[in-house]
Amino acid sequence: MKPKFTYAIRPRLPEKLAFLGELAGNIWWEWHYDAIDLFRRISRHRWAESRGNPCHVLLHVEQERLNYLSREEGFLNHMQRVREAFNAYLTEPRWFQRVHGNRSDVRIAYFSAEYGLSSALPIYSGGLGILSGDHLKTASDMGLPLVAIGMAYRLGYFHQYLNIDGWQQERYDENDFYNLPMQKVLDDAGDWLTIDIPYLTRPVKVAIWRVNVGRVPLYLMSTNLPENRPEDRVITDQLYGGDKEMRIRQEIVLGIGGMVLLRRLGIKPTVYHMNEGHSAFMGLERVRLQMGEHNLDFNTAFEATYSNDCFTTHTPVPAGNDVFSLDALRKYLGPLATELALDWQKFAELGQGSDIAGSNDYCMTIAAIKTASCVNGVSRLHAHVSRGMWQQLWPELPRDEVPIRAVTNGIHLYSWISHDLASLLDRYIGPAWHDDPLLPELWNRIYEIPDEELWRTHERRRARLVAFARARLESQLAARGASIEEITGASEVLNPEALSIGFARRFATYKRGNLLFRDLERLKRLCADRDRPVQFLYAGKAHPRDDEGKKVIREIIHQAREEHLRFRVVFLEDYDIIVARYLVQGCDIWLNTPRRPQEASGTSGMKAVANGALHMSILDGWWDQAYHKDYGWAIGSGEEYDDIDYQDEVEGHAIYDLLEREAVPLFFKRSVAGIPREWVGMMKRSMANLIPRFSSHRMLFNYIDEAYLPADAANRELTADGYKRSRDLAGWRARVDANWKAVQIVNIEASQLDELIVGDRLQVRATVNTGKLSAADVRVEVFSGPVDSRRGFQNPQGTEMQLDPAGNGEHPVFVATLIAPQSGYFGFTVRVMPKHPDLRHKFAAYYLTWANGDE
């Protein structure tokens, strides 16, 4: 029997405490310690049982307690202090307003499948979601006019627990949205706002929730409505759940539904950012809307939307990209192709062009790349890897010129730095680091912190981590059905004074969570050393369908039961934001062992470094560009292997060599006062140099300068005067498409090709047959640089050649002058590509013609 009606009864907030309800409804409290302390002060028990959810605290706290607090002067003073900080944060000009003025005409729409904002809002799985959450928090801190779009997952991502054999099990807990920091969005009549999602083969209604992230609104969509069919209500049940067809439906809701939602809310962004390919249908829906609203053809509308779509790719491995069969896709998006006036083959080609998607497949990453003028990877190395993965989209282009740039990820410092360390930084650096953490001179003040204070602060956090790990291990052993002896022994695991090494991340096989266990004898010696004890803390989830990843977890559990390891190696279940914070704030070394180059970025290491941990990692992801011997350790020298067993052997030994010969002796080298001064010196150098470089403020600055503002400006130019320049650009591209095959380089001449002296000038002339195109339609470049023994270019550069006004032959002649830069063996060739002033980058037309290499 189920109730016909349901309703919630909340305690009545006394008038003096009314602000608490407003504060609980804005996740601003998540990264402001004073606000967290305020809610914890109401009821520590309710705060702990809710995993830090103030809405739960206010819903379940006793009425008598609230009545008492409304009269308690200390609490009221604390609340007033938080209220003043909160109101100032929401109303005072932030960085964007101070620098760019009141640009109310700029608005960024940010689409992501997951957001890791708080443990109280479990709609994230891992690194992608945490990055999205940090993106929103930083946008709020900077005053960036941004609105975010996502999904309200009823079951979120799974909770992990291990059975008695150490095999991962999944449990899905239902999210009670009425008890989370989110609110229903209401329409003008005061009813819950719903929208209708097209292309799901039948009408599906979506209800809208709002999460306030400081100054940034995050809108979440849910199909869990009684008026929907049961099979439609579950579309927004699980993050990354279901089969391929379910994923198509989810991504239609995210990308196309997100656009429907923005229009329903009356929000008109000027820039659109797809965080990963899950929302790639958004780009096509934008084209459809532009066609209908402005009576445009497909090509004109595409040029306009392409100009201000941005895309961030996060995966460096082919398997990480969503690929759907065309048959499954056509079932849903056949009507969209018709509305776009595209035959199905043309529609399918928008998601094809690489071996990752076959002739009967559609790749969401390719679709996002083809519909976005600004594409980036999330670290310097990852951008290089991505250029290789997607080079087939520009088959004539050298890998290093594929137009995928790097915007390296960063972390929201105030969300991840411990309260203890933040207070220490406030005393010695000043509070300016909260809002403007990029000033190098600011972080140089870290050297003014006395070694004793920094070390004692870090020791307190390590002791707190050990206490947390013991309590968590005891509860998970009891739930697993372990023996009384094992459960009792949990209170004795780990040593608060031991060198603590953390490894926490998704348990995919390429991350090699079990690498240390290849040499059990060396591991046992490290853990059994009473004079210089070392311990390891593991955490992380394998994807529910990744049995190989689950085997890695089980291996760690089994090995950790060994006599010399069971008190020094622990695995903490159900890795989430809470576990992550304890680990990155309390570990001494953060270990990362991916197979290079399969780590896109790796922000957990950034979080640990910001808390004073030293990083020990393969040179992959962010560490490839961050590593310096003064900041941590590199495992290997950036080698890549074909034989992975040999790689594991070599790099496993390298870790033990670093630990035994460098890290462990350095950690236990103490002064008379018991301070490892050389270790603390490395902590300071690491923090001073890496924190400003890998903060999310720097990341947002990169996006604003390199993507958002240029995209906004380009779109304004293309859409002005009734889309005149979009129409012109579309017409020009049609002419290029029809005539490019006739373009060829007829002749190349050089002033001299004998031996040159450094500083000599070499004039190059190229005659180009442009066919029915004009000289203004092409960009001719001399492509030059050092040449190796195989006649391959090394770090070449393209120099644009200018039209020779004196040329009077049948075809235009282009000239350029090269200066011999240094001694060595050099070479050049000539290439031609389409040119138009409104192309967002010089390879946006895709065509490229090279001179014959034997000329």
Side-chain angles (χ1 to χ4, degrees), residues 426-704:
D426 285 348
R427 289 203 303 276
Y428 287 93
I429 290 181
W433 70 272
H434 301 179
D435 296 322
D436 193 6
L438 300 188
L439 299 175
E441 60 270 23
L442 202 68
W443 295 101
N444 285 335
R445 297 176 195 166
I446 280 181
Y447 297 112
E448 299 175 13
I449 302 175
D451 290 353
E452 291 79 3
E453 286 197 57
L454 181 57
W455 184 246
R456 298 307 178 205
T457 298
H458 182 69
E459 285 194 311
R460 285 196 302 273
R461 291 180 294 141
R462 190 193 313 116
R464 195 174 300 133
L465 167 61
V466 169
F468 170 80
R470 286 172 175 173
R472 193 161 183 111
L473 186 60
E474 183 176 336
S475 64
Q476 68 190 40
L477 285 171
R480 200 183 299 168
S483 67
I484 297 296
E485 181 183 4
E486 282 186 284
I487 296 172
T488 305
S491 62
E492 300 176 10
V493 302
L494 304 179
N495 177 350
E497 296 182 356
L499 171 60
S500 300
I501 301 175
F503 181 101
R505 52 194 35 86
R506 182 167 57 91
F507 267 75
T509 52
Y510 77 85
K511 293 179 182 284
R512 298 188 294 178
N514 56 348
L515 187 58
L516 282 173
F517 295 91
R518 289 182 65 93
D519 193 335
L520 279 175
E521 292 308 311
R522 293 180 83 174
L523 180 59
K524 290 176 182 177
R525 282 201 302 271
L526 281 174
C527 294
D529 191 328
R530 294 181 180 274
D531 296 325
R532 301 191 305 183
V534 179
Q535 58 198 16
F536 298 85
L537 297 96
Y538 287 87
K541 299 176 179 178
H543 189 278
R545 291 190 291 273
D546 183 6
D547 283 350
E548 295 305 310
K550 292 181 180 181
K551 289 177 183 177
V552 174
I553 294 174
R554 183 173 61 182
E555 179 183 351
I556 293 173
I557 297 300
H558 283 215
Q559 299 290 5
R561 293 170 180 166
E562 290 277 340
E563 177 65 26
H564 294 294
L565 301 182
R566 66 190 187 96
F567 291 105
R568 295 291 177 262
V569 178
V570 300
F571 185 94
L572 304 179
E573 296 176 14
D574 205 21
Y575 184 44
D576 64 359
I577 288 176
I578 293 174
V579 177
R581 282 198 175 119
Y582 274 101
L583 286 168
V584 299
Q585 293 172 6
C587 283
D588 302 295
I589 291 177
W590 198 255
L591 182 64
N592 191 25
T593 57
R595 296 193 194 282
R596 177 186 166 102
Q598 297 184 49
E599 182 83 285
S601 179
T603 56
S604 64
M606 301 176 192
K607 300 176 182 83
V609 163
N611 280 283
L614 300 181
H615 204 234
M616 180 181 290
S617 174
I618 301 293
L619 290 175
D620 200 4
W622 79 288
W623 194 236
D624 181 68
Q625 69 196 75
Y627 167 70
H628 188 281
K629 62 182 178 59
D630 289 342
Y631 312 154
W633 296 275
I635 303 168
S637 302
E639 300 90 350
E640 296 175 20
Y641 297 80
D642 293 326
D643 186 336
I644 62 174
D645 287 332
Y646 177 69
Q647 178 182 13
D648 291 349
E649 188 74 18
V650 170
E651 293 176 344
H653 284 306
I655 296 172
Y656 283 113
D657 290 344
L658 289 172
L659 289 173
E660 293 167 352
R661 299 173 186 175
E662 298 184 34
V664 174
L666 189 68
F667 182 83
F668 288 102
K669 183 180 180 182
R670 304 300 170 97
S671 68
V672 175
I675 308 298
R677 296 196 183 277
E678 292 182 30
W679 184 280
V680 174
M682 282 189 73
M683 290 172 64
K684 290 180 178 180
R685 290 191 294 273
S686 174
M687 294 170 71
N689 287 280
L690 299 182
I691 287 177
R693 289 172 57 194
F694 296 98
S695 79
S696 51
H697 278 71
R698 187 273 313 147
M699 178 184 74
L700 260 292
F701 276 127
N702 290 160
Y703 277 120
I704 291 167

Side-chain angles (χ1 to χ4, degrees), residues 279-337:
S279 56
F281 294 141
M282 177 271 289
L284 300 178
E285 175 65 3
R286 285 196 65 210
V287 174
R288 187 189 71 83
L289 290 170
Q290 296 279 295
M291 291 173 67
E293 293 173 2
H294 301 282
N295 193 27
L296 305 176
D297 61 85
F298 173 84
N299 293 329
T300 301
F302 184 88
E303 297 293 353
T305 60
Y306 175 82
S307 68
N308 62 342
D309 276 352
C310 306
F311 170 56
T312 298
T313 177
H314 288 262
T315 177
V317 292
N321 299 277
D322 275 343
V323 176
F324 303 126
S325 77
L326 287 178
D327 290 340
L329 198 66
R330 190 168 193 172
K331 172 181 174 182
Y332 296 99
L333 295 186
L336 175 59

Side-chain angles (χ1 to χ4, degrees), residues 167-184:
W167 189 258
Q168 174 181 292
Q169 308 288 304
E170 295 85 33
R171 185 187 74 248
Y172 290 89
D173 294 343
E174 184 165 354
N175 284 325
D176 178 7
F177 295 144
Y178 296 92
N179 195 21
L180 296 177
M182 52 198 295
Q183 302 87 39
K184 288 181 176 180

Side-chain angles (χ1 to χ4, degrees), residues 698-757:
R698 187 273 313 147
M699 178 184 74
L700 260 292
F701 276 127
N702 290 160
Y703 277 120
I704 291 167
D705 291 344
E706 299 172 20
Y708 295 161
L709 293 183
D712 173 84
N715 183 256
R716 291 179 192 280
E717 293 173 354
L718 287 176
T719 57
D721 300 325
Y723 288 75
K724 180 181 184 305
R725 289 172 70 164
S726 288
R727 297 177 195 275
D728 292 345
L729 181 57
W732 170 86
R733 196 185 291 269
R735 285 196 299 111
V736 169
D737 288 342
N739 296 290
W740 188 258
K741 285 184 178 180
V743 173
Q744 57 182 302
I745 299 166
V746 177
N747 185 50
I748 301 174
E749 300 174 356
S751 57
Q752 61 172 322
L753 287 178
D754 296 330
E755 189 171 283
L756 301 176
I757 305 299

